Amino acid sequence: MERTRETKSQELIRRLKYNKSAVFGLAIVVILILCAIFANFIAPNSPTPSPPELFKALKPGFWSEDGIEEMPLGADGLGRCVLSRILYGARVSLTAGFVAVGIAMILGITFGTIAGYYGGWVDAVVMRIVDIMFAFPALLLAIVIVTVLGQGLDKAMIAIGIVYTPQMARIIRSSVLYIKEMEYIEVQKAIGSSDARIIFRHVLPNSIAPVIVYGTLMLATAILDCAALGFLGLGAQPPIPEWGAMLSKSYSYIVSGAWWAATFPGIAILLSVIGLNLLGDGLRDILDPRLKT
Amino acid sequence: MKWYITKRLLMLIPVLLGVSILAFSLIRLAPGDPAVTIAGEHASPQVINSIREKYGLDKPLTTQYWIWLKQVLRGDLGRSIVSNEYVAKEILERFPNTIELTLVSMIFAITIGCIAGIISASRQYSVFDYSFMGLAIFGVSMPVFWLGIMLMMIFGVYLRWLPISGRISMMISFQRITGFYLLDSLITGNFAAFISSLRYLILPSVALSTIPMATIARVTRSSMLEVLRQDFIRTERAKGLPERMVIYKHAVRNAMIPVITVIGLNFGLLLAGAILTETVFSWPGIGRYVVNAVNMRDYPVVQGCVLFFASMFVIVNLLTDIVYVYIDPRIHYG
Amino acid sequence: MKSKLFLVLLLTVGLVFSLVSAASAENILVFGSSGDASRLDPGDVTDGESIQRMDNIFEGLVEYEAGSVLIKPCLATSWEASADGTEIVFNLRKGVKFHDGTDFNADAVVFSFARQYDSNHPYNQYGEWAYWGYMFGDVDKMEKIDDYTVKLVLKRPNASIMTSLAMFTVNIVSPTNAEKYKEDAFKHPCGTGPFKFVEWVKDDHITLEANENYWRERAKLDKLIFKVIPDPSARLMALEVGEVQGIEYPNPADFERIKANKDLVLMSQPGMNIGYMAMNTGYGYIDENKNGVRDLDSEPLVKTPGYFEPLTKKKVRQAINMAIDKQSIVDNIYMGTAIKAKNGMPPFMLGYNDEIEDYPYDPAKAKQLLTEAGYPDGFEVTLYVMPVSRPYMFDPPKIGEAIQSYLAAVGITVKFYQVDWGTYLQETEAGNHQMCLLGWTGDNGDPDNFMNVLYGANACSIGAAGNYAFYTNNTVQELLSAALATYDEEKRATYYKKAQEMIHEDAGWVYLAHSTQNIVFRTNVKGYVLNPTSRKFFYPVWIE
């Protein structure tokens, strides 16, 4: 068992190497994670200087002669370094993404496994609930949950986690249904293994592939949705350097000529989401050829 | 066939009921007294009492739900706290704006998405293929609100080509009939109004169409590739039909089937995207309405919009399924 | 075939992208507003957006001279006050008609007033009449004497009642119209003013057109449209391309750009306002007898819901005053569209105390004061941040964030609390806040309209407070009451100056700025006059 898994992961790496776009995606994701971890070492300035340096407000970056040297990407409306805030923002966005997807995974795997493994009325009930949740556009459902819970980054993460649960549950369920019919599961049942043992030892480990693939893709949309909530003022609250919130605070300066404060956070969102999407697509091609679109 | 549609319609009932329960619980889950939540915190005790009576708030939850559901089915979604206007009426006023925006975006997305997908598939591994698919990955990863801002900046602020907010130029006198500006201006033969409203539509709908356009392009491409590998295409080719005929006459028709599902699904995403796009472009639709309502804690409005969006979404999915059955001869509607 | 198609396509694209908008022979002014009106009933509105629509549809008995707060006749041709000042008789203008054709007469005046103060009036239920309670609490009733004479009866003499009567709250509405639309009358405004209502497309625009039967000369504009463009940059863009001819609340960051554009004119005037951060000092009273005055014997001080130990200490409040660099906020956030404030009323007003020395920006001293007060490590405090821009504070969230960073430097952690504007006012009036951003725009130019409303102990009534620091200093209140009862201006001024000294010492507020009011028009828009009250009248305006 152990050995096959090792070869599997070796094979994964080998095949990933041949998928150029996946490698590119992986590179972006790795850079993103490094930025997030080492933000306090890389960032040239504090993301929330105290007391604030208001006199630097809306100063341009390296491309201009009026720029401030230590702020290569310019300053925002409160004189804070845009680059530093983006770097710290990676930490915020990644954490939010991971927590949200984590919540979706825990809930989704629980419900999906129960529904798929036991079938019958349990399955019917769980899947109807999933259907109902699918009747809402994801962002709208997240907004509704935030309306009830209140605004804030923590609540936005929970909301997004809940919104993604049905998707995860559906994926797990279909994978469980597939595995359940396999012969060795029948054998396990025949020799009297308990349900819990079968689920944890045999069913779940075999559902890992779709969880990884969809987890990665979900991470991309989670970051996007979290930024969207931040943009609408329902997510991260100041002074947290969250990309979506940074954008919404500074896009009114575009007309005044200060385009940088709104442009760069958007690029950061775009690049991270592209990275995760490319990686997710690549992983899907390798791990789950059945799902290839 | 009829049986399939009936069955599909019957399946809708539990989903719609669930949606209504969710919308109903929105107000009960909100902190505080539901009567105050519905009437607003400025409301006088008389108003709060009348609300309590109207919704039977002293009765058990199930009874409350029935009372509420009956009102909803009659089209009574309550009144907005902020404007004191009937929510259903306010939604209907804004509804054409959102639909016009989403429809135009969808047309953009389908046309360009399908063409790009077909070209990519028919010239797999060509420069076109790589660049289209490269753009598509950008498209699906795009934060719509940021794209909207960038479009505003480039085409509105710097180039000054297109207006950046609003529905139609205020300098044009214009008579609204249906609320769909393009349609109304055509009905009244008001060419200036037509051009003007089209100008106002371009940037928001381009922003909004990006994600579905990219998705449609990707699905069209992979679906085309699959069809092109199939036997009957090989037969056609073997028969000596020109490649163009093969692709446009036979392959495309078959490849469109999965694309339709994706279009249906994307319509829902488009409604969600409209929330962001409308906010960026100050578009007077339901998306902006619901965002304002959330910020104002106008719960009856949020509830009404939730019901409305979810019902739209469900109905569009239903229509997609039905169209799918009509088109795809392989499906046996069991 | 193909080339023809291409040509048509090119033509369409060309048309779509062309900047030429159809020139119109009509004199139309489109004004870019920052938000939509909430209601269109002058008695029932409190927000600037609704008010600016009302001011062009409705009129009152008296009005302000253009650009000032002096009173002149409008729908009343003359008036006479009784010797004790508790009764004023108005002679009404004859031959005036409402937009729906109804005659303007004493019945209309009584209707417009009585529906607000008389809870048994059949139309009382259709509004909340917030401003009435605020400004007209001294009014007992309005009586009809004959068709063109009415009498206003006051409960007690009030020297500022005439200036208050020029406010939108007591504009005259058509009774027939109210009867026709009942609870929906607020969507169908009908007054006697220079413009009449045409349509209201929610969140988009409100169209008015010239009243052809106006009792004065017809307005020069044919149409007046208020278009809602919430984002200040989008508003400016629309102005630059000529989609709108005027805008309010331009972004201070755009002033250079506006001044450089010879098609645009920026009109500015010192505003009659104050923007501040109030710190809840802890105690208010419950106004049992609803008279807006604290009865020292029967109405004891009670803790406000937002009572917060550190802020009850004077040293802490002074420390906060010293921890915030107000000059930097004025220079970089207000961007020079305001002057730094040290007192709670505008410098050009009677009784302004210029001898007061403002707290300096001195974080080290602030830290020391905090240590002396027993908070060497600071504390965590909640700041209510306004969700809307007001004339006295352009961008509250940004100012809130700046204050947050300043206070972090002396160890105070600030958390934000944001709600919709209506709830915000209600919660702060009830004293739920620990600290809040707020401000005031003067209604009538009298110092009492700042000092007594904002800083007196009487204004600390929980649930209806105007004194958001809940600064219950009885000596200050005595000074303010004495000032209101005095007609000798010099004496009045000394009272106010003394009060300001005490207010400064106790430091319940961080006074931030007095903003200028700004409005931008295209150069061909003529005749607009700025008003100190920030109200917007388009009657004299025309487009060249």
Side-chain angles (χ1 to χ4, degrees), chain A residues 48-58 77-78 80 85 151 237-240 249 251-257, chain C residues 231-234 236-237 240 251 253-254 257 328-329 332-333 335 361 395 397-398 401-402 404-406 408-409 416 418:
Chain A
T48 47
S50 170
E53 302 158 314
L54 297 180
F55 58 91
K56 291 181 185 163
L58 299 180
L78 282 167
R80 298 176 298 205
R85 286 179 69 77
Q151 300 159 350
Q237 301 298 308
I240 300 174
K249 294 244 179 233
Y251 85 89
S252 59
Y253 298 122
I254 285 179
V255 172
S256 336
Chain C
D231 179 59
S233 341
L236 179 58
M237 292 283 314
E240 285 176 338
N251 192 338
D254 294 334
R257 183 187 170 101
S328 186
I329 289 179
N332 300 298
I333 297 183
M335 299 202 178
Y361 171 55
D395 193 348
K398 209 168 153 193
E401 249 186 283
Q404 185 183 48
S405 321
Y406 278 120
F416 287 169
Q418 272 182 306

Side-chain angles (χ1 to χ4, degrees), chain A residues 75-91:
Chain A
D76 72 0
L78 282 167
R80 298 176 298 205
C81 172
V82 172
L83 176 64
S84 305
R85 286 179 69 77
I86 288 178
L87 291 171
Y88 276 90
R91 196 178 272 185

